[in-house]
Amino acid sequence: MCVKLIDVTKRFGEKTVLAGLNLALQMGQCYAVAGASGIGKTTLLRVISGLETQDSGSVILPKDAVISYAFQEPRLFDELTVAANMSVVHPDRDSMQILQELDLSQDADKFPDELSGGMKKRAGLARALAKQADIYLIDEPTGGQDAQRCLTIAETVSRYTKGSLCLVSTHDASLVSMIADHLIVFAESSVQVYDHIKDRSLDEIQTLMR
Amino acid sequence: MAVFWLFVWFIAAWIVDLEILLPSPITTAAKWFSLMGTAAYWTSIGTSLLHILSGYLIGCFAGILLGYLMYRLSVIDALFSPVLSMIRSVPVASFIILALVWIGRQQIPPFIAFLMVFPVVSTSVKTGLGSVDQELAEVACVYHFTRMQTIRLLYKPAVLPHLITSARVTLGLAWKASVAAEILCSLSHSIGGNIYTSKLVLETDTLFAWTITVILISILFESLLSRALDVLSPTARRKVSHVR
């Protein structure tokens, strides 16, 4: 079973973001998606989630696949506490446990406007991980986090997405080295997929991501 | 402040020295207290309240429904937007005169209250629904929110501020327009009807007493509505620890 993108093209006005993209993403594997800002990483995640419709080509998902999406922005409901924000997605996992792992256990009863940007971002991630999904789409999970938090995030993402297909959009080579099995690098005119990322050093990964 | 203006009124009445032109605050208060002792006073207030509330509530419900339909169906929006603009710009007196031709006098005050509320609420509901946070709508889409969740978490926060503002603005408008309709229709056993009769028989103190009644009820309405809406307001949020 895999997620297949066949000749997928997506344009925004004059700009072609995905140009005839072909990918086969294996279930149970973690793919890091790298590339310059605005090059199409988020668009790839959005096309797979169904939030964006491709202009041409096909996206084939396993039947009844459950998708969980941690957006680049936290996208929390302002009138709900962190715990309630997790509850709205009908979590299959212990929300408090995930909050604890992401250093948010003291903040479960706080409202989003009482949290810092980094805390909100982790709350958004916690909500996505609370769902037992077949496909996890995680957009820049370590953006705006300090080094220690990045490590915590990497461990938590790795633990909770094990056995599912996970696509993580990131600029963070350390995160890639810790969680990814494969690296998809978006460049101006091509998309390159590198396998066996866990066998590569951090320097090699950084080089690939440039 | 109120004491200052009462004093100004008192001095003005003393200078004019003609009760039929400007009754003093004391005469007005005496008339008002004597009116309050009569059953007719309370019956008139009850009738006028019934007029405004029926028109206001029907206007709110119809406005919410039309606002929703205008948001969902562009054809409904295209059809009704010009009508709503027209209703808002036609003078109230014109509607009252037209309504005198179209419908029974008893129905005119509620109808006029309805017309004050309906277009404003419709437009504000449509605007509110159009301002739903699209990023949160995508969260709802990805996680397959139920209809109730969508209403509570997306539509309610977007629509409520617009609805609260329009409900506040139109209540005062509807009340004044409804009383004006009662006056122009010279409806007996109503506040407007009593104001009309006072003017006919040149009982200026009675006219002032009824006008004070109108003002006090208007203040009471504002206060009650503010309290009710504060409960619903997104800023008066409750701590929600677990929402399914």
Side-chain angles (χ1 to χ4, degrees):
Chain A
M1 265 207 315
C2 66
V3 169
K4 276 187 182 167
L5 286 89
I6 305 166
D7 206 19
V8 170
T9 298
K10 178 69 192 174
R11 293 182 202 92
F12 292 104
E14 293 292 301
K15 189 178 180 187
T16 302
V17 180
L18 304 178
L21 180 65
N22 289 290
L23 280 175
L25 307 167
Q26 300 298 321
M27 302 305 279
Q29 298 286 296
C30 181
Y31 295 80
V33 185
S37 295
I39 203 154
K41 304 189 296 292
T42 299
T43 304
L44 171 65
L45 269 54
R46 289 176 62 80
V47 165
I48 292 172
S49 71
L51 291 175
E52 211 74 68
T53 308
Q54 65 276 15
D55 295 315
S56 63
S58 312
V59 178
I60 302 166
L61 302 179
K63 196 167 179 285
D64 298 326
V66 175
I67 294 176
S68 197
Y69 197 152
F71 295 89
Q72 194 169 353
E73 320 78 24
R75 301 198 185 188
L76 301 173
F77 293 92
D78 288 338
E79 68 277 20
L80 300 182
T81 61
V82 170
N85 260 288
M86 294 184 75
S87 296
V88 294
V89 303
H90 307 297
D92 309 295
R93 292 168 169 153
D94 184 351
S95 300
M96 282 310 294
Q97 175 68 30
I98 300 170
L99 287 176
Q100 195 173 0
E101 290 181 38
L102 289 170
D103 293 336
L104 288 168
S105 56
Q106 304 296 314
D107 308 300
D109 291 328
K110 287 185 180 167
F111 288 93
D113 60 10
E114 297 169 305
L115 304 179
S116 69
M119 289 159 93
K120 280 187 211 173
K121 180 110 183 167
R122 277 180 282 138
L125 175 63
R127 179 174 65 188
L129 296 177
K131 195 87 185 154
Q132 173 70 60
D134 301 303
I135 301 167
Y136 287 95
L137 305 169
I138 301 175
D139 204 345
E140 301 203 15
T142 54
Q145 308 287 336
D146 59 45
Q148 182 55 42
R149 297 261 191 259
C150 289
L151 186 66
T152 311
I153 288 168
E155 286 168 354
T156 311
V157 168
S158 186
R159 186 175 309 120
Y160 285 99
T161 60
K162 194 169 277 180
S164 304
L165 167 61
C166 178
L167 263 91
V168 182
S169 160
T170 186
H171 297 281
D172 183 349
S174 306
L175 178 71
V176 176
S177 73
M178 281 187 277
I179 68 169
D181 301 302
H182 311 271
L183 174 64
I184 304 169
V185 181
F186 277 69
E188 275 302 331
S189 54
S190 66
V191 175
Q192 197 73 44
V193 181
Y194 302 97
D195 297 322
H196 309 296
I197 288 300
K198 287 207 163 75
D199 300 336
R200 297 177 188 251
S201 69
L202 183 59
D203 286 343
E204 277 180 284
I205 294 169
Q206 276 172 335
T207 309
L208 293 176
M209 287 172 74
R210 262 181 218 134
Chain B
M1 234 2 131
V3 174
F4 170 76
W5 288 112
L6 264 176
F7 181 70
V8 170
W9 178 9
F10 189 84
I11 295 295
W14 181 67
I15 292 168
V16 172
D17 195 25
L18 198 61
E19 289 284 329
I20 201 167
L21 211 58
L22 184 62
S24 72
I26 296 168
T27 317
T28 304
K31 175 55 78 176
W32 186 39
F33 283 117
S34 79
L35 279 176
M36 279 200 285
T38 64
Y41 178 80
W42 299 105
T43 312
S44 297
I45 289 177
T47 309
S48 292
L49 286 179
L50 196 67
H51 287 156
I52 161 82
L53 287 178
S54 53
Y56 182 78
L57 292 177
I58 294 170
C60 280
F61 283 121
I64 290 169
L65 184 66
L66 182 66
Y68 174 73
L69 291 173
M70 286 168 73
Y71 168 72
R72 290 303 296 261
L73 306 165
S74 54
V75 63
I76 300 283
D77 187 25
L79 270 176
F80 280 88
S81 283
V83 178
L84 296 178
S85 298
M86 186 205 69
I87 294 174
R88 273 198 298 264
S89 45
V90 170
V92 184
S94 303
F95 270 124
I96 298 171
I97 305 296
L98 276 173
L100 271 168
V101 181
W102 293 338
I103 54 179
R105 284 194 310 154
Q106 289 292 339
Q107 280 81 50
I108 293 173
F111 175 65
I112 293 301
F114 170 87
L115 285 181
M116 294 297 104
V117 180
F118 177 65
V120 181
V121 169
S122 308
T123 310
S124 66
V125 167
K126 188 191 90 174
T127 309
L129 286 170
S131 70
V132 163
D133 187 323
Q134 288 310 306
E135 291 194 342
L136 293 179
E138 288 186 350
V139 174
C141 179
V142 167
Y143 292 106
H144 306 293
F145 277 18
T146 62
R147 187 174 291 269
M148 278 314 292
Q149 275 185 307
T150 308
I151 291 171
R152 197 177 65 240
L153 296 170
L154 289 179
Y155 291 149
K156 195 181 118 189
V159 172
L160 215 52
H162 295 270
L163 196 56
I164 285 172
T165 306
S166 61
R168 278 210 171 109
V169 169
T170 54
L171 184 61
L173 273 178
W175 174 236
K176 281 184 278 187
S178 171
V179 171
E182 289 174 347
I183 295 171
L184 285 177
C185 299
S186 58
L187 273 187
S188 53
H189 309 301
S190 70
I191 293 177
N194 281 294
I195 290 175
Y196 181 72
T197 310
S198 326
K199 177 242 168 196
L200 271 188
V201 296
L202 295 176
E203 283 181 2
T204 316
D205 53 347
T206 313
L207 187 123
F208 269 56
W210 278 111
T211 307
I212 287 169
T213 307
V214 171
I215 293 167
L216 288 178
I217 293 174
S218 184
I219 292 168
L220 183 74
F221 268 158
E222 289 260 333
S223 157
L224 287 177
L225 187 72
S226 288
R227 285 184 189 196
L229 294 178
D230 280 348
V231 174
L232 293 170
S233 168
T235 52
R237 64 188 186 186
R238 288 163 292 150
K239 291 267 173 189
V240 183
S241 59
H242 191 82
V243 174
R244 292 295 298 189

